[in-house]
Amino acid sequence: MTLTTAAPALAELHGITVRYNGRTVLDHVDLLVERGQIVTVIGPNGSGKTTLARVLLGLVQPDKGTVRRGNDIVIGYVPQRVNIDSTLPLSVRRFLKLAARRDGVDIVGALTEVGTAHLLDADISSLSGGELQRVLLARALLRDPDLLVLDEPTQGVDFAGQIALYHLIGEIRDRHGCGVLTISHDLHLVMAATDRVICLNHHICCSGEPESVRIHPEYVALFGPKASEDLAIYSHCHAHNHDLAGNVVEGDGAHQHVDHQP
Amino acid sequence: MTFSGGRCSAGWVSPLAAGPLGCFVVWRRMSYFGASIAHAALLGVALGLILGIDLTLGIALTGVVFAIAIVFLQRHTRLASDTLLGILAHAALAAGLVAISSRQGLRVDLLGYLFGDILAVSQADLVWIYLGGGLSLAVLAAVWRGLLAITVHEELARAEGVHVLAIQLIFALLLAIVIAVSMKIVGVLLIISLLIIPAAAARPFAKTPEQMAILAALIGAVAVAAGLGASYHWDTPSGPSVVMAAFAMFLASLAAASFQRR
């Protein structure tokens, strides 16, 4: 890490254009992720979000544009879907050992950080959606990433779990100081833990701080007026939270629980 | 020719390599891929006879070329994988049958190639079987970790710097070699069973991928021993006898697993 610059760019994409079978999936898209920053790409289905992440990861070669990744940066990737055949006998411990040659203490540490230490010896194909997402996050953390790329990290996770997961992502950023690129289809969910939002629909519709994107005409046009309504639309009035095992825990004030607004 | 100890030991070698490799065939849901390479083996027999080269070498080379062709065609066609495999496998089998039958004056034991004939194993075949079996086990051990990584998640492995295409090609190569050296025992049409039945039978008793691989190797070896024993005593064809023995062990495994669950 260099000390001369406060926020060195981890990854910089410039003028990215990708075409599949004559269809333009990405059209001159720029993206910058800096250390310690959470950037969220939101957009409707088929808007090119995942393709953008894949370009950043080097899995897709853009037809036009430049991809610059920082020197020797390690990227931790959490893909959208992981289907492991149930004929493969693989414990969570072993699954994590495949990611990085680390000892048991590190593995337990990473699992503890994401709140799934109790799953250490569970079979990977027996996990629920939320559990699997957290184990995948632990897997990415074990690589000591400079940059985390999370593609729809809340797939198959229930609502309370989604909020908890985004909260966790914010914590991880604070603790590790890594940059984070998140892909989501729901701005409200990610608002609390996002520094910058990029609203994508093949091209960049608008970008900026979450609050400014929420009221941006292009965002409203893309997601409908409902999407820009007040946050209270999804808030709950619980006085407590649940941990992953479903037990009631003290509310930590990490996300606001307020009364429903009409 | 008599039923010699040398031939029986040859029978033991191929399942020791086929078992662990078969586990990957099962985990990666590639049994149709394996069967297709086996079908192409008959074309290898024909080429070997026509060119006057060693048949095992002919089969292995044809299998390798065929496997590489499939891997590349899968990347460049819109056809579903099983459609493509169905087309190529049966075209290769038909071409092999036509080529063999068109060589009049060639005395070919077609049934032996299709269903296996342990009595046809020559001294030269024995060398091939030992060399091929040993080599494929060694190579499999060397690529084990990478192969396991792409089995868990191909994109994730690629994003983390695993050479996916190279490992896929090596895997196809190993399949071709194991099929070539096992063909004398179980034949073109039954060879895939020597790959997948031991793996499936091993699954309920394995906690790790390695345990499953070792168990599958042992189950395959016992099936070959039992099948060849039965073939010797009752004068039944060697290939089908081995497959029946493997199937019996699979049924026993199913029964034991359901008993265990109670």
Side-chain angles (χ1 to χ4, degrees):
Chain A
M1 215 163 45
T2 52
L3 295 169
T4 44
T5 44
L10 291 170
E12 197 174 353
L13 275 58
H14 187 69
I16 299 297
T17 299
V18 175
R19 291 192 195 89
Y20 284 140
N21 301 322
R23 241 166 32 86
T24 302
V25 180
L26 292 176
D27 189 8
H28 292 92
V29 174
D30 297 341
L31 178 72
L32 176 71
V33 188
E34 291 171 345
R35 200 173 283 279
Q37 190 187 41
I38 300 183
V39 177
T40 300
V41 177
I42 60 159
N45 287 337
S47 58
K49 304 182 298 264
T50 296
T51 305
L52 184 61
R54 286 163 54 88
V55 169
L56 175 77
L57 290 163
L59 296 173
V60 169
Q61 283 303 312
D63 294 298
K64 252 191 261 171
T66 54
V67 180
R68 237 179 310 167
R69 281 179 287 266
N71 287 335
D72 303 325
I73 65 160
V74 175
I75 299 181
Y77 174 38
V78 176
Q80 199 175 116
R81 231 179 244 118
V82 174
N83 286 324
I84 295 169
D85 200 284
S86 62
T87 55
L88 177 62
L90 198 66
S91 67
V92 168
R93 182 203 302 267
R94 186 67 205 283
F95 175 71
L96 294 178
K97 275 201 172 148
L98 268 179
R101 294 179 194 270
R102 303 286 291 267
D103 59 31
V105 181
D106 293 335
I107 286 174
V108 173
L111 279 177
T112 306
E113 184 167 0
V114 300
T116 51
H118 59 290
L119 296 174
L120 185 64
D121 291 309
D123 205 85
I124 193 90
S125 55
S126 71
L127 303 188
S128 74
E131 288 169 340
L132 185 59
Q133 286 300 336
R134 283 174 183 252
V135 168
L136 285 171
L137 201 53
R139 185 185 189 283
L141 289 178
L142 273 177
R143 293 170 52 80
D144 278 331
D146 302 285
L147 173 60
L148 271 177
V149 177
L150 314 168
D151 190 353
E152 299 272 9
T154 55
Q155 275 238 327
V157 180
D158 65 27
F159 193 72
Q162 291 184 11
I163 296 175
L165 201 54
Y166 279 116
H167 176 55
L168 175 64
I169 291 165
E171 280 183 353
I172 285 170
R173 184 268 315 262
D174 295 343
R175 210 172 301 138
H176 296 259
C178 53
V180 181
L181 178 75
T182 312
I183 286 171
S184 175
H185 58 273
D186 192 332
L187 177 59
H188 285 157
L189 272 172
V190 300
M191 277 185 73
T194 293
D195 300 306
R196 213 151 47 78
V197 173
I198 292 170
C199 178
L200 188 77
N201 191 20
H202 304 302
H203 65 279
I204 293 178
C205 298
C206 53
S207 68
E209 299 193 341
E211 200 54 41
S212 68
V213 167
R214 187 169 65 86
I215 53 170
H216 195 283
E218 286 228 43
Y219 172 79
V220 176
L222 205 55
F223 287 94
K226 259 223 167 319
S228 68
E229 278 170 24
D230 195 66
L231 265 157
I233 195 165
Y234 73 93
S235 298
H236 292 228
C237 46
H238 299 162
H240 62 268
N241 289 330
H242 296 270
D243 67 12
L244 217 67
N247 303 316
V248 172
V249 294
E250 279 297 305
D252 57 1
H255 47 274
Q256 219 64 45
H257 287 306
V258 293
D259 288 322
H260 280 277
Q261 307 278 316
Chain B
M1 288 248 251
T2 54
F3 220 87
S4 74
R7 290 204 192 95
C8 280
S9 70
W12 275 74
V13 171
S14 56
L16 290 182
L21 204 62
C23 289
F24 279 101
V25 172
V26 169
W27 296 333
R28 297 171 60 72
R29 301 182 192 189
M30 287 177 77
S31 64
Y32 204 17
F33 181 81
S36 301
I37 296 182
H39 281 40
L42 199 67
L43 189 58
V45 171
L47 288 178
L49 290 172
I50 290 165
L51 299 176
I53 56 170
D54 187 277
L55 292 191
T56 311
L57 186 63
I59 295 164
L61 285 179
T62 313
V64 169
V65 171
F66 189 77
I68 292 172
I70 292 174
V71 170
F72 279 99
L73 274 176
Q74 275 173 338
R75 294 176 164 235
H76 296 104
T77 174
R78 290 176 186 216
L79 289 176
S81 200
D82 63 332
T83 307
L84 183 70
L85 289 174
I87 293 169
L88 294 178
H90 294 103
L93 182 65
L97 289 169
V98 167
I100 287 177
S101 63
S102 70
R103 297 287 292 182
Q104 284 177 0
L106 269 183
R107 283 175 56 236
V108 175
D109 174 20
L110 195 55
L111 275 184
Y113 290 119
L114 291 178
F115 299 108
D117 183 3
I118 186 83
L119 291 178
V121 173
S122 67
Q123 221 46 50
D125 290 334
L126 276 181
V127 175
W128 278 114
I129 290 173
Y130 283 121
L131 272 182
L135 179 76
S136 44
L137 267 183
V139 174
L140 183 62
V143 298
W144 185 271
R145 193 184 158 90
L147 195 51
L148 207 52
I150 70 170
T151 300
V152 166
H153 199 281
E154 208 174 291
E155 288 255 285
L156 199 54
R158 191 139 62 96
E160 290 170 2
V162 177
H163 296 289
V164 173
L165 183 62
I167 289 180
Q168 278 176 337
L169 289 176
I170 289 172
F171 179 66
L173 191 91
L174 292 180
L175 266 181
I177 292 173
V178 167
I179 285 169
V181 300
S182 310
M183 207 193 89
K184 280 282 165 67
I185 298 155
V186 286
V188 166
L189 294 183
L190 295 174
I191 189 119
I192 193 67
S193 57
L194 204 57
L195 286 161
I196 62 175
I197 296 179
R203 173 63 185 100
F205 311 103
K207 291 259 182 291
T208 67
E210 292 73 20
Q211 277 178 13
M212 186 160 151
I214 291 167
L215 261 178
L218 295 178
I219 290 172
V222 172
V224 166
L228 291 185
S231 166
Y232 178 68
H233 280 290
W234 294 297
D235 197 24
T236 50
S238 62
S241 307
V242 167
V243 175
M244 288 306 293
F247 182 61
M249 294 185 74
F250 170 70
L251 287 182
S253 151
L254 267 188
S258 68
F259 188 73
Q260 220 176 32
R261 269 199 298 272
R262 257 174 226 172

